[in-house]
Amino acid sequence: MIGGVIDHPSELSDLLAEHGADAARLHDVLALLAGGGWWSTRDLVRGTAVPHRVVERVVQALGGELERDPGGGAPGAGGEARVRLRSPGRYTVFARPALADPVGHLLDGHTRAADELERLVARAPASRADLDHVAASARTALRRGVYLATRFALPGRRLLCVGDHDLTSLAATLVCPDAEALVVDIDERMLDYIDAAAARLGLPVRCHFADLRLGLPEAVRGRADLVFTDPPYTPEGVELFVRRGLEGLSDPRRGRILLAYGASETTPALVAKTQSRLARMGLATEAVWPDFNRYLGAEAIGAASDLYVLRPTSRTPAPDAGGSDAARIYSQGANAKEAGAALPDEAARAALRRIAGEGADGVDTLVGAWPKGAAESAARRVRLATWLGSPTPGDRVALNLTGGWDALVGRAVLAASATEVYAVVPSSAGAVRDEAGQTALRALLEPRFTLRFLRGVPGPRTTLVVAHAEEPDGAATPGQRLLRHCQGRAHGRLTSTLREGLVAVTAELGRPLNKKSARSRVAEAAPWLPGHTLLDLPAHRFGELRALTDRLAAEEPGT
């Protein structure tokens, strides 16, 4: 017999028989219990990668064979009560040989990276349920880095992390400092954390902000040799993130997409649905490593997921840079598939009536998912992806950012060429719910826009953000005028808009710079700047940009 326990109760025998050949997974749970120690259900899940529901059935089947911890010992994972076998000595356990591990034998050669990742993972920002975050263990991050560095010729190559809550970019560059990593994420906290860690450790990692439902930043498209993604595990989430990965590959014929994906073994139909989407994209599955990724949570799927190595083929469609304003890819929050309508018809009409009452002579541009008939007089309706993708004309613009788009409020306002912008956002959104959020939003938009926050408009759960474009005045400093120049061209490359603005501002000051000198000053002053626009620049960089414009505009010629 390989693995498991003999002399078990009849209820347990029935459970093992029910699982047939797959009962080996249950034997792993039994083997831990037969060791004589105390175990919580979550501890058993994390120790075996068996889903929580299955572990619970094993515990229930053992029934009276188990005793409960009376509280004298430390609780298990999640503070759960623990159990142990009353008489472990009467059980005979046979160890089940471990399956082949592609990198386990290599990890001891990366002790520095392992120690650093333990610190990085422990101090990382907390997971966000609305983004389907569950933190991977530090060992998993290391395993990913080692796998990438041994399976592929990583030196001199560029890895794109489509979302990087698990710090795979840092792991890969710790293991292989000669590689470069690009990170695209919507979570500003993670972008700040990864940028700071990369700077401290001297790692070649660059971070870009984006809502992946709307596409990759232009500077990232077609730039990567390899892609890693651990997406939301809905079929829609997996497909979208993989499509963004394809969009990021420089040569799909030679590139690979590494996908972390997991589901409970009790829901094989869900796995099949997800895999069929990958097949429809013409992706060949070169390898699947079971339970490669381990998590500090997600017990419903065994606190583990598999690692897929996907290879594009001639049947893989060309990357699509377009986005969807209605993408529902998460399992929780405003963008869960089951979430209700973002802005009901009556609320939309109430919002537009209030905007008219603000003195706007009718809205000429509606951006986002406004209900049909909400404003018949609007000259144009624009998808949010289009609005953020390229400059769009409009004098009085109304943005609907309810339904999970509130993280874009600052950038959606910056994208406007309008003099008046009105954004409807949930009052729970971080940018409006308290003074700290409002101050941070102002820091993104000033000096070009001044803001007012009308809480409870158009309804009790929404806030109308009123952004008014201010005309430059004589009191503006040279740095403010330079920053305003960049803010008025938010879709443009910052290296170009800064150079052009610097030439214009220094000419106004009577100490003109030519284009070559301006380009040199910008390049020397901000090595983190190339490739960015204001719309994909992480929020923590905006303060640096403000300081940069002050410094550049104040420099005398020849300094």
Side-chain angles (χ1 to χ4, degrees), residues 15-49:
L15 181 61
L16 294 171
E18 175 188 330
H19 280 259
D22 204 31
R25 306 267 283 166
L26 278 64
H27 291 317
D28 292 342
V29 178
L30 295 167
L32 290 184
L33 286 168
W38 292 102
W39 292 89
S40 73
T41 303
R42 288 188 181 185
D43 288 331
L44 290 169
V45 170
R46 295 180 185 182
T48 60

PDB file of all heavy atoms in Angstrom, residues 15-49:
ATOM      1  N   LEU A  15     -15.612   6.834   2.621  1.00  0.00           N
ATOM      2  CA  LEU A  15     -15.141   8.061   1.982  1.00  0.00           C
ATOM      3  C   LEU A  15     -13.960   7.774   1.056  1.00  0.00           C
ATOM      4  O   LEU A  15     -13.893   8.284  -0.071  1.00  0.00           O
ATOM      5  CB  LEU A  15     -14.738   9.079   3.049  1.00  0.00           C
ATOM      6  CG  LEU A  15     -14.232  10.436   2.537  1.00  0.00           C
ATOM      7  CD1 LEU A  15     -15.297  11.146   1.715  1.00  0.00           C
ATOM      8  CD2 LEU A  15     -13.795  11.312   3.717  1.00  0.00           C
ATOM      9  N   LEU A  16     -13.039   6.944   1.496  1.00  0.00           N
ATOM     10  CA  LEU A  16     -11.893   6.581   0.662  1.00  0.00           C
ATOM     11  C   LEU A  16     -12.340   5.833  -0.584  1.00  0.00           C
ATOM     12  O   LEU A  16     -11.843   6.078  -1.695  1.00  0.00           O
ATOM     13  CB  LEU A  16     -10.895   5.746   1.462  1.00  0.00           C
ATOM     14  CG  LEU A  16     -10.184   6.464   2.621  1.00  0.00           C
ATOM     15  CD1 LEU A  16      -9.391   5.469   3.456  1.00  0.00           C
ATOM     16  CD2 LEU A  16      -9.264   7.564   2.097  1.00  0.00           C
ATOM     17  N   ALA A  17     -13.294   4.940  -0.411  1.00  0.00           N
ATOM     18  CA  ALA A  17     -13.807   4.199  -1.559  1.00  0.00           C
ATOM     19  C   ALA A  17     -14.500   5.125  -2.550  1.00  0.00           C
ATOM     20  O   ALA A  17     -14.389   4.956  -3.770  1.00  0.00           O
ATOM     21  CB  ALA A  17     -14.767   3.109  -1.079  1.00  0.00           C
ATOM     22  N   GLU A  18     -15.211   6.126  -2.020  1.00  0.00           N
ATOM     23  CA  GLU A  18     -15.896   7.089  -2.883  1.00  0.00           C
ATOM     24  C   GLU A  18     -14.915   7.828  -3.783  1.00  0.00           C
ATOM     25  O   GLU A  18     -15.212   8.126  -4.940  1.00  0.00           O
ATOM     26  CB  GLU A  18     -16.660   8.082  -1.998  1.00  0.00           C
ATOM     27  CG  GLU A  18     -17.330   9.220  -2.750  1.00  0.00           C
ATOM     28  CD  GLU A  18     -17.905  10.257  -1.805  1.00  0.00           C
ATOM     29  OE1 GLU A  18     -18.304   9.892  -0.672  1.00  0.00           O
ATOM     30  OE2 GLU A  18     -17.940  11.444  -2.188  1.00  0.00           O
ATOM     31  N   HIS A  19     -13.727   8.121  -3.259  1.00  0.00           N
ATOM     32  CA  HIS A  19     -12.737   8.882  -4.028  1.00  0.00           C
ATOM     33  C   HIS A  19     -11.901   7.987  -4.944  1.00  0.00           C
ATOM     34  O   HIS A  19     -11.175   8.521  -5.798  1.00  0.00           O
ATOM     35  CB  HIS A  19     -11.828   9.661  -3.085  1.00  0.00           C
ATOM     36  CG  HIS A  19     -12.455  10.932  -2.585  1.00  0.00           C
ATOM     37  ND1 HIS A  19     -12.156  12.174  -3.083  1.00  0.00           N
ATOM     38  CD2 HIS A  19     -13.407  11.132  -1.632  1.00  0.00           C
ATOM     39  CE1 HIS A  19     -12.875  13.094  -2.464  1.00  0.00           C
ATOM     40  NE2 HIS A  19     -13.641  12.496  -1.579  1.00  0.00           N
ATOM     41  N   GLY A  20     -11.986   6.703  -4.765  1.00  0.00           N
ATOM     42  CA  GLY A  20     -11.310   5.805  -5.690  1.00  0.00           C
ATOM     43  C   GLY A  20      -9.816   6.061  -5.769  1.00  0.00           C
ATOM     44  O   GLY A  20      -9.136   6.244  -4.761  1.00  0.00           O
ATOM     45  N   ALA A  21      -9.295   6.112  -6.999  1.00  0.00           N
ATOM     46  CA  ALA A  21      -7.859   6.292  -7.190  1.00  0.00           C
ATOM     47  C   ALA A  21      -7.377   7.638  -6.670  1.00  0.00           C
ATOM     48  O   ALA A  21      -6.198   7.806  -6.337  1.00  0.00           O
ATOM     49  CB  ALA A  21      -7.500   6.155  -8.666  1.00  0.00           C
ATOM     50  N   ASP A  22      -8.290   8.590  -6.594  1.00  0.00           N
ATOM     51  CA  ASP A  22      -7.907   9.920  -6.127  1.00  0.00           C
ATOM     52  C   ASP A  22      -7.850  10.001  -4.609  1.00  0.00           C
ATOM     53  O   ASP A  22      -7.583  11.061  -4.047  1.00  0.00           O
ATOM     54  CB  ASP A  22      -8.903  10.958  -6.654  1.00  0.00           C
ATOM     55  CG  ASP A  22      -8.295  12.351  -6.736  1.00  0.00           C
ATOM     56  OD1 ASP A  22      -7.076  12.448  -6.972  1.00  0.00           O
ATOM     57  OD2 ASP A  22      -9.024  13.340  -6.549  1.00  0.00           O
ATOM     58  N   ALA A  23      -8.070   8.886  -3.922  1.00  0.00           N
ATOM     59  CA  ALA A  23      -8.030   8.878  -2.461  1.00  0.00           C
ATOM     60  C   ALA A  23      -6.626   9.126  -1.920  1.00  0.00           C
ATOM     61  O   ALA A  23      -6.456   9.361  -0.721  1.00  0.00           O
ATOM     62  CB  ALA A  23      -8.558   7.550  -1.928  1.00  0.00           C
ATOM     63  N   ALA A  24      -5.619   9.093  -2.788  1.00  0.00           N
ATOM     64  CA  ALA A  24      -4.261   9.393  -2.322  1.00  0.00           C
ATOM     65  C   ALA A  24      -4.197  10.759  -1.663  1.00  0.00           C
ATOM     66  O   ALA A  24      -3.427  10.976  -0.718  1.00  0.00           O
ATOM     67  CB  ALA A  24      -3.282   9.318  -3.495  1.00  0.00           C
ATOM     68  N   ARG A  25      -5.002  11.673  -2.136  1.00  0.00           N
ATOM     69  CA  ARG A  25      -5.011  13.017  -1.545  1.00  0.00           C
ATOM     70  C   ARG A  25      -5.561  12.969  -0.109  1.00  0.00           C
ATOM     71  O   ARG A  25      -5.084  13.679   0.767  1.00  0.00           O
ATOM     72  CB  ARG A  25      -5.884  13.949  -2.391  1.00  0.00           C
ATOM     73  CG  ARG A  25      -5.513  13.998  -3.851  1.00  0.00           C
ATOM     74  CD  ARG A  25      -4.556  15.109  -4.147  1.00  0.00           C
ATOM     75  NE  ARG A  25      -5.242  16.386  -4.188  1.00  0.00           N
ATOM     76  CZ  ARG A  25      -4.616  17.561  -4.169  1.00  0.00           C
ATOM     77  NH1 ARG A  25      -3.305  17.591  -4.057  1.00  0.00           N
ATOM     78  NH2 ARG A  25      -5.291  18.690  -4.248  1.00  0.00           N
ATOM     79  N   LEU A  26      -6.543  12.129   0.119  1.00  0.00           N
ATOM     80  CA  LEU A  26      -7.085  11.985   1.461  1.00  0.00           C
ATOM     81  C   LEU A  26      -6.081  11.315   2.385  1.00  0.00           C
ATOM     82  O   LEU A  26      -5.997  11.621   3.580  1.00  0.00           O
ATOM     83  CB  LEU A  26      -8.386  11.172   1.424  1.00  0.00           C
ATOM     84  CG  LEU A  26      -9.664  11.931   1.043  1.00  0.00           C
ATOM     85  CD1 LEU A  26      -9.598  12.456  -0.390  1.00  0.00           C
ATOM     86  CD2 LEU A  26     -10.888  11.052   1.232  1.00  0.00           C
ATOM     87  N   HIS A  27      -5.313  10.385   1.819  1.00  0.00           N
ATOM     88  CA  HIS A  27      -4.285   9.725   2.619  1.00  0.00           C
ATOM     89  C   HIS A  27      -3.266  10.731   3.150  1.00  0.00           C
ATOM     90  O   HIS A  27      -2.728  10.556   4.244  1.00  0.00           O
ATOM     91  CB  HIS A  27      -3.563   8.661   1.792  1.00  0.00           C
ATOM     92  CG  HIS A  27      -4.423   7.475   1.445  1.00  0.00           C
ATOM     93  ND1 HIS A  27      -5.263   6.884   2.347  1.00  0.00           N
ATOM     94  CD2 HIS A  27      -4.538   6.771   0.285  1.00  0.00           C
ATOM     95  CE1 HIS A  27      -5.881   5.865   1.767  1.00  0.00           C
ATOM     96  NE2 HIS A  27      -5.462   5.777   0.508  1.00  0.00           N
ATOM     97  N   ASP A  28      -2.991  11.768   2.397  1.00  0.00           N
ATOM     98  CA  ASP A  28      -2.056  12.788   2.872  1.00  0.00           C
ATOM     99  C   ASP A  28      -2.589  13.468   4.125  1.00  0.00           C
ATOM    100  O   ASP A  28      -1.839  13.760   5.057  1.00  0.00           O
ATOM    101  CB  ASP A  28      -1.816  13.829   1.778  1.00  0.00           C
ATOM    102  CG  ASP A  28      -1.048  13.278   0.592  1.00  0.00           C
ATOM    103  OD1 ASP A  28      -0.412  12.215   0.742  1.00  0.00           O
ATOM    104  OD2 ASP A  28      -1.079  13.915  -0.474  1.00  0.00           O
ATOM    105  N   VAL A  29      -3.904  13.733   4.162  1.00  0.00           N
ATOM    106  CA  VAL A  29      -4.518  14.340   5.337  1.00  0.00           C
ATOM    107  C   VAL A  29      -4.425  13.391   6.526  1.00  0.00           C
ATOM    108  O   VAL A  29      -4.057  13.779   7.646  1.00  0.00           O
ATOM    109  CB  VAL A  29      -5.985  14.714   5.056  1.00  0.00           C
ATOM    110  CG1 VAL A  29      -6.642  15.312   6.291  1.00  0.00           C
ATOM    111  CG2 VAL A  29      -6.084  15.675   3.869  1.00  0.00           C
ATOM    112  N   LEU A  30      -4.736  12.145   6.283  1.00  0.00           N
ATOM    113  CA  LEU A  30      -4.691  11.157   7.357  1.00  0.00           C
ATOM    114  C   LEU A  30      -3.286  10.982   7.904  1.00  0.00           C
ATOM    115  O   LEU A  30      -3.084  10.803   9.110  1.00  0.00           O
ATOM    116  CB  LEU A  30      -5.220   9.825   6.834  1.00  0.00           C
ATOM    117  CG  LEU A  30      -6.705   9.808   6.435  1.00  0.00           C
ATOM    118  CD1 LEU A  30      -7.026   8.551   5.642  1.00  0.00           C
ATOM    119  CD2 LEU A  30      -7.584   9.912   7.675  1.00  0.00           C
ATOM    120  N   ALA A  31      -2.298  11.037   7.021  1.00  0.00           N
ATOM    121  CA  ALA A  31      -0.919  10.869   7.463  1.00  0.00           C
ATOM    122  C   ALA A  31      -0.506  11.988   8.424  1.00  0.00           C
ATOM    123  O   ALA A  31       0.193  11.740   9.411  1.00  0.00           O
ATOM    124  CB  ALA A  31       0.016  10.845   6.254  1.00  0.00           C
ATOM    125  N   LEU A  32      -0.945  13.223   8.152  1.00  0.00           N
ATOM    126  CA  LEU A  32      -0.629  14.310   9.078  1.00  0.00           C
ATOM    127  C   LEU A  32      -1.292  14.080  10.434  1.00  0.00           C
ATOM    128  O   LEU A  32      -0.668  14.262  11.487  1.00  0.00           O
ATOM    129  CB  LEU A  32      -1.086  15.650   8.489  1.00  0.00           C
ATOM    130  CG  LEU A  32      -0.309  16.194   7.285  1.00  0.00           C
ATOM    131  CD1 LEU A  32      -0.849  17.569   6.895  1.00  0.00           C
ATOM    132  CD2 LEU A  32       1.172  16.290   7.577  1.00  0.00           C
ATOM    133  N   LEU A  33      -2.551  13.691  10.413  1.00  0.00           N
ATOM    134  CA  LEU A  33      -3.254  13.450  11.677  1.00  0.00           C
ATOM    135  C   LEU A  33      -2.633  12.297  12.454  1.00  0.00           C
ATOM    136  O   LEU A  33      -2.568  12.319  13.690  1.00  0.00           O
ATOM    137  CB  LEU A  33      -4.725  13.159  11.389  1.00  0.00           C
ATOM    138  CG  LEU A  33      -5.579  14.365  10.986  1.00  0.00           C
ATOM    139  CD1 LEU A  33      -6.920  13.902  10.450  1.00  0.00           C
ATOM    140  CD2 LEU A  33      -5.779  15.309  12.173  1.00  0.00           C
ATOM    141  N   ALA A  34      -2.174  11.287  11.740  1.00  0.00           N
ATOM    142  CA  ALA A  34      -1.608  10.111  12.407  1.00  0.00           C
ATOM    143  C   ALA A  34      -0.256  10.399  13.045  1.00  0.00           C
ATOM    144  O   ALA A  34       0.272   9.576  13.786  1.00  0.00           O
ATOM    145  CB  ALA A  34      -1.464   8.960  11.413  1.00  0.00           C
ATOM    146  N   GLY A  35       0.289  11.603  12.787  1.00  0.00           N
ATOM    147  CA  GLY A  35       1.551  11.963  13.430  1.00  0.00           C
ATOM    148  C   GLY A  35       1.409  12.297  14.897  1.00  0.00           C
ATOM    149  O   GLY A  35       2.408  12.434  15.601  1.00  0.00           O
ATOM    150  N   GLY A  36       0.165  12.455  15.354  1.00  0.00           N
ATOM    151  CA  GLY A  36      -0.067  12.669  16.782  1.00  0.00           C
ATOM    152  C   GLY A  36      -0.207  14.111  17.210  1.00  0.00           C
ATOM    153  O   GLY A  36      -0.562  14.383  18.357  1.00  0.00           O
ATOM    154  N   GLY A  37       0.054  15.087  16.328  1.00  0.00           N
ATOM    155  CA  GLY A  37      -0.021  16.490  16.716  1.00  0.00           C
ATOM    156  C   GLY A  37      -1.420  17.059  16.569  1.00  0.00           C
ATOM    157  O   GLY A  37      -2.344  16.413  16.072  1.00  0.00           O
ATOM    158  N   TRP A  38      -1.558  18.317  17.045  1.00  0.00           N
ATOM    159  CA  TRP A  38      -2.814  19.041  16.918  1.00  0.00           C
ATOM    160  C   TRP A  38      -2.867  19.727  15.557  1.00  0.00           C
ATOM    161  O   TRP A  38      -1.903  20.324  15.109  1.00  0.00           O
ATOM    162  CB  TRP A  38      -2.944  20.099  18.009  1.00  0.00           C
ATOM    163  CG  TRP A  38      -3.096  19.551  19.396  1.00  0.00           C
ATOM    164  CD1 TRP A  38      -2.136  19.476  20.359  1.00  0.00           C
ATOM    165  CD2 TRP A  38      -4.283  19.015  19.966  1.00  0.00           C
ATOM    166  NE1 TRP A  38      -2.634  18.923  21.496  1.00  0.00           N
ATOM    167  CE2 TRP A  38      -3.960  18.627  21.293  1.00  0.00           C
ATOM    168  CE3 TRP A  38      -5.584  18.814  19.501  1.00  0.00           C
ATOM    169  CZ2 TRP A  38      -4.893  18.065  22.153  1.00  0.00           C
ATOM    170  CZ3 TRP A  38      -6.511  18.254  20.364  1.00  0.00           C
ATOM    171  CH2 TRP A  38      -6.176  17.881  21.661  1.00  0.00           C
ATOM    172  N   TRP A  39      -4.049  19.673  14.908  1.00  0.00           N
ATOM    173  CA  TRP A  39      -4.205  20.260  13.574  1.00  0.00           C
ATOM    174  C   TRP A  39      -5.556  20.970  13.461  1.00  0.00           C
ATOM    175  O   TRP A  39      -6.585  20.407  13.834  1.00  0.00           O
ATOM    176  CB  TRP A  39      -4.154  19.186  12.486  1.00  0.00           C
ATOM    177  CG  TRP A  39      -2.811  18.549  12.330  1.00  0.00           C
ATOM    178  CD1 TRP A  39      -2.341  17.457  12.980  1.00  0.00           C
ATOM    179  CD2 TRP A  39      -1.767  18.992  11.467  1.00  0.00           C
ATOM    180  NE1 TRP A  39      -1.063  17.176  12.583  1.00  0.00           N
ATOM    181  CE2 TRP A  39      -0.677  18.098  11.654  1.00  0.00           C
ATOM    182  CE3 TRP A  39      -1.633  20.048  10.565  1.00  0.00           C
ATOM    183  CZ2 TRP A  39       0.522  18.242  10.964  1.00  0.00           C
ATOM    184  CZ3 TRP A  39      -0.452  20.186   9.875  1.00  0.00           C
ATOM    185  CH2 TRP A  39       0.617  19.297  10.079  1.00  0.00           C
ATOM    186  N   SER A  40      -5.530  22.192  12.955  1.00  0.00           N
ATOM    187  CA  SER A  40      -6.780  22.836  12.557  1.00  0.00           C
ATOM    188  C   SER A  40      -7.090  22.424  11.121  1.00  0.00           C
ATOM    189  O   SER A  40      -6.210  21.920  10.392  1.00  0.00           O
ATOM    190  CB  SER A  40      -6.648  24.363  12.628  1.00  0.00           C
ATOM    191  OG  SER A  40      -5.835  24.838  11.572  1.00  0.00           O
ATOM    192  N   THR A  41      -8.328  22.631  10.707  1.00  0.00           N
ATOM    193  CA  THR A  41      -8.696  22.287   9.324  1.00  0.00           C
ATOM    194  C   THR A  41      -7.859  23.078   8.336  1.00  0.00           C
ATOM    195  O   THR A  41      -7.362  22.541   7.344  1.00  0.00           O
ATOM    196  CB  THR A  41     -10.196  22.577   9.098  1.00  0.00           C
ATOM    197  OG1 THR A  41     -10.961  21.845  10.057  1.00  0.00           O
ATOM    198  CG2 THR A  41     -10.614  22.156   7.693  1.00  0.00           C
ATOM    199  N   ARG A  42      -7.658  24.365   8.606  1.00  0.00           N
ATOM    200  CA  ARG A  42      -6.866  25.177   7.687  1.00  0.00           C
ATOM    201  C   ARG A  42      -5.416  24.724   7.633  1.00  0.00           C
ATOM    202  O   ARG A  42      -4.776  24.750   6.580  1.00  0.00           O
ATOM    203  CB  ARG A  42      -6.932  26.654   8.085  1.00  0.00           C
ATOM    204  CG  ARG A  42      -8.274  27.296   7.802  1.00  0.00           C
ATOM    205  CD  ARG A  42      -8.216  28.790   8.027  1.00  0.00           C
ATOM    206  NE  ARG A  42      -9.501  29.409   7.781  1.00  0.00           N
ATOM    207  CZ  ARG A  42      -9.716  30.720   7.818  1.00  0.00           C
ATOM    208  NH1 ARG A  42      -8.718  31.538   8.109  1.00  0.00           N
ATOM    209  NH2 ARG A  42     -10.908  31.217   7.590  1.00  0.00           N
ATOM    210  N   ASP A  43      -4.869  24.329   8.772  1.00  0.00           N
ATOM    211  CA  ASP A  43      -3.499  23.816   8.777  1.00  0.00           C
ATOM    212  C   ASP A  43      -3.397  22.561   7.916  1.00  0.00           C
ATOM    213  O   ASP A  43      -2.409  22.353   7.197  1.00  0.00           O
ATOM    214  CB  ASP A  43      -3.046  23.508  10.199  1.00  0.00           C
ATOM    215  CG  ASP A  43      -2.802  24.770  11.021  1.00  0.00           C
ATOM    216  OD1 ASP A  43      -2.455  25.796  10.414  1.00  0.00           O
ATOM    217  OD2 ASP A  43      -2.957  24.721  12.248  1.00  0.00           O
ATOM    218  N   LEU A  44      -4.388  21.685   8.012  1.00  0.00           N
ATOM    219  CA  LEU A  44      -4.390  20.476   7.198  1.00  0.00           C
ATOM    220  C   LEU A  44      -4.484  20.812   5.714  1.00  0.00           C
ATOM    221  O   LEU A  44      -3.831  20.180   4.879  1.00  0.00           O
ATOM    222  CB  LEU A  44      -5.551  19.569   7.610  1.00  0.00           C
ATOM    223  CG  LEU A  44      -5.428  18.907   8.984  1.00  0.00           C
ATOM    224  CD1 LEU A  44      -6.757  18.252   9.382  1.00  0.00           C
ATOM    225  CD2 LEU A  44      -4.307  17.862   8.994  1.00  0.00           C
ATOM    226  N   VAL A  45      -5.304  21.833   5.377  1.00  0.00           N
ATOM    227  CA  VAL A  45      -5.415  22.261   3.981  1.00  0.00           C
ATOM    228  C   VAL A  45      -4.065  22.736   3.467  1.00  0.00           C
ATOM    229  O   VAL A  45      -3.593  22.326   2.403  1.00  0.00           O
ATOM    230  CB  VAL A  45      -6.473  23.371   3.846  1.00  0.00           C
ATOM    231  CG1 VAL A  45      -6.416  23.999   2.459  1.00  0.00           C
ATOM    232  CG2 VAL A  45      -7.870  22.817   4.109  1.00  0.00           C
ATOM    233  N   ARG A  46      -3.425  23.622   4.227  1.00  0.00           N
ATOM    234  CA  ARG A  46      -2.160  24.202   3.769  1.00  0.00           C
ATOM    235  C   ARG A  46      -1.034  23.176   3.760  1.00  0.00           C
ATOM    236  O   ARG A  46      -0.087  23.305   2.981  1.00  0.00           O
ATOM    237  CB  ARG A  46      -1.794  25.393   4.652  1.00  0.00           C
ATOM    238  CG  ARG A  46      -2.797  26.533   4.530  1.00  0.00           C
ATOM    239  CD  ARG A  46      -2.425  27.717   5.397  1.00  0.00           C
ATOM    240  NE  ARG A  46      -3.461  28.745   5.341  1.00  0.00           N
ATOM    241  CZ  ARG A  46      -3.389  29.903   5.971  1.00  0.00           C
ATOM    242  NH1 ARG A  46      -2.337  30.193   6.722  1.00  0.00           N
ATOM    243  NH2 ARG A  46      -4.379  30.790   5.875  1.00  0.00           N
ATOM    244  N   GLY A  47      -1.142  22.173   4.604  1.00  0.00           N
ATOM    245  CA  GLY A  47      -0.098  21.149   4.635  1.00  0.00           C
ATOM    246  C   GLY A  47      -0.213  20.111   3.541  1.00  0.00           C
ATOM    247  O   GLY A  47       0.754  19.393   3.259  1.00  0.00           O
ATOM    248  N   THR A  48      -1.394  20.026   2.912  1.00  0.00           N
ATOM    249  CA  THR A  48      -1.617  18.968   1.923  1.00  0.00           C
ATOM    250  C   THR A  48      -2.074  19.465   0.561  1.00  0.00           C
ATOM    251  O   THR A  48      -2.065  18.695  -0.410  1.00  0.00           O
ATOM    252  CB  THR A  48      -2.705  18.008   2.438  1.00  0.00           C
ATOM    253  OG1 THR A  48      -3.931  18.742   2.642  1.00  0.00           O
ATOM    254  CG2 THR A  48      -2.282  17.342   3.740  1.00  0.00           C
ATOM    255  N   ALA A  49      -2.521  20.737   0.461  1.00  0.00           N
ATOM    256  CA  ALA A  49      -3.111  21.297  -0.769  1.00  0.00           C
ATOM    257  C   ALA A  49      -4.408  20.587  -1.151  1.00  0.00           C
ATOM    258  O   ALA A  49      -4.807  20.568  -2.311  1.00  0.00           O
ATOM    259  CB  ALA A  49      -2.123  21.245  -1.935  1.00  0.00           C
TER     260      ALA A  49
END
